[in-house]
Amino acid sequence: DAGVIQSPRHEVTEMGQEVTLRCKPISGHDYLFWYRQTMMRGLELLIYFNNNVPIDDSGMPEDRFSAKMPNASFSTLKIQPSEPRDSAVYFCASSSGATSGRTGELFFGEGSRLTVL
Amino acid sequence: AQKVTQAQTEISVVEKEDVTLDCVYETRDTTYYLFWYKQPPSGELVFLIRRNSFDEQNEISGRYSWNFQKSTSSFNFTITASQVVDSAVYFCALLSGSARQLTFGSGTQLTVLP
């Protein structure tokens, strides 16, 4: 079975440019999470969706960040305009609410490493 | 508020040694779940175990074992006879009754030397 698929794996861009990260969750999973990992702050939850609806976006750092989930098999995290402090690894994760949506067994993608110069 | 503390930032052992990774958590909820995730050098996060707050029975899975003690709010992870492939960052995480997302600790970098 395919796991969570993220793209791109690596992105290098210049300050001010728009960045779009993509995620395909595991088929049948109804929860989707976006995390950011940095050395300074560790793993931070940015936003999560349930059945394509954003439930909690309190972790989104500022208005430059936005996330969408137009359907059950696709989500995007967009940063516009990007800044050097946005450099991090961004993880997408999914889970099934029926068995583990509240019990934390998340399945993570391999991450998208973003570098903003 | 939920908090997870992994006081050990880095641990280095020689292959075949046993190693214990510490995890201390804080929550006011009586219902909660504790987790361990592994992040190998390739970068992905791999789920290892989930334990709910009503089950203090220790668990063993091969060379891995977990010791959950509510009295000390700890959920420690032991690797027996460590191997080089165990080298990774290990994260402890908490999901408490009132929250809907995981709170991760800062991680412990384990290096197993040949």
Side-chain angles (χ1 to χ4, degrees):
Chain A
D1 289 341
V4 175
I5 300 172
Q6 291 186 245
S7 65
R9 290 294 311 279
H10 301 275
E11 175 90 10
V12 179
T13 191
E14 293 187 346
M15 184 174 64
Q17 296 298 306
E18 177 179 296
V19 174
T20 299
L21 308 178
R22 298 172 178 80
C23 175
K24 177 179 169 54
I26 292 173
S27 178
H29 281 188
D30 53 353
Y31 282 82
L32 184 140
F33 304 79
W34 281 101
Y35 281 86
R36 178 172 69 176
Q37 184 178 33
T38 62
M39 288 294 292
M40 291 297 294
R41 301 174 69 90
L43 276 159
E44 304 173 276
L45 177 67
L46 300 178
I47 185 172
Y48 78 93
F49 297 82
N50 178 216
N51 292 322
N52 313 336
V53 176
I55 303 300
D56 184 352
D57 65 354
S58 59
M60 297 285 263
E62 45 196 277
D63 292 346
R64 297 184 296 105
F65 285 70
S66 63
K68 294 181 180 179
M69 193 165 184
N71 57 63
S73 59
F74 184 65
S75 177
T76 60
L77 178 67
K78 185 176 293 186
I79 308 172
Q80 167 63 22
S82 58
E83 296 183 1
R85 59 192 167 122
D86 302 331
S87 297
V89 180
Y90 291 81
F91 286 99
C92 177
S94 70
S95 69
S96 170
T99 58
S100 58
R102 278 196 52 76
T103 55
E105 186 173 345
L106 305 184
F107 295 81
F108 283 82
E110 293 182 319
S112 294
R113 182 175 295 276
L114 172 65
T115 302
V116 183
L117 303 174
Chain B
Q2 288 73 239
K3 185 178 179 181
V4 177
T5 302
Q6 294 180 255
Q8 304 151 308
T9 305
E10 296 182 24
I11 300 177
S12 184
V13 298
V14 177
E15 203 169 20
K16 297 184 183 177
E17 287 184 358
D18 298 347
V19 58
T20 295
L21 309 181
D22 298 332
C23 173
V24 174
Y25 62 92
E26 294 177 29
T27 179
R28 293 197 178 106
D29 294 305
T30 56
T31 302
Y32 52 88
Y33 295 86
L34 295 161
F35 305 81
W36 278 94
Y37 280 82
K38 174 182 180 179
Q39 187 175 37
S42 52
E44 75 277 19
L45 282 146
V46 179
F47 167 83
L48 294 178
I49 188 173
R50 174 183 62 234
R51 173 64 76 221
N52 74 56
S53 54
F54 298 107
D55 182 3
E56 285 193 73
Q57 188 172 4
N58 292 333
E59 181 156 341
I60 298 174
S61 176
R63 296 183 297 106
Y64 295 172
S65 62
W66 291 269
N67 184 333
F68 175 29
Q69 293 198 353
K70 289 178 76 171
S71 61
T72 55
S73 296
S74 65
F75 186 44
N76 297 337
F77 173 28
T78 298
I79 302 175
T80 303
S82 60
Q83 300 176 1
V84 173
V85 293
D86 296 327
S87 297
V89 181
Y90 291 87
F91 291 93
C92 182
L94 168 69
L95 179 69
S96 67
S98 58
R100 296 187 67 83
Q101 62 266 11
L102 289 173
T103 299
F104 282 89
S106 55
T108 298
Q109 169 73 61
L110 173 64
T111 302
V112 181
L113 302 169

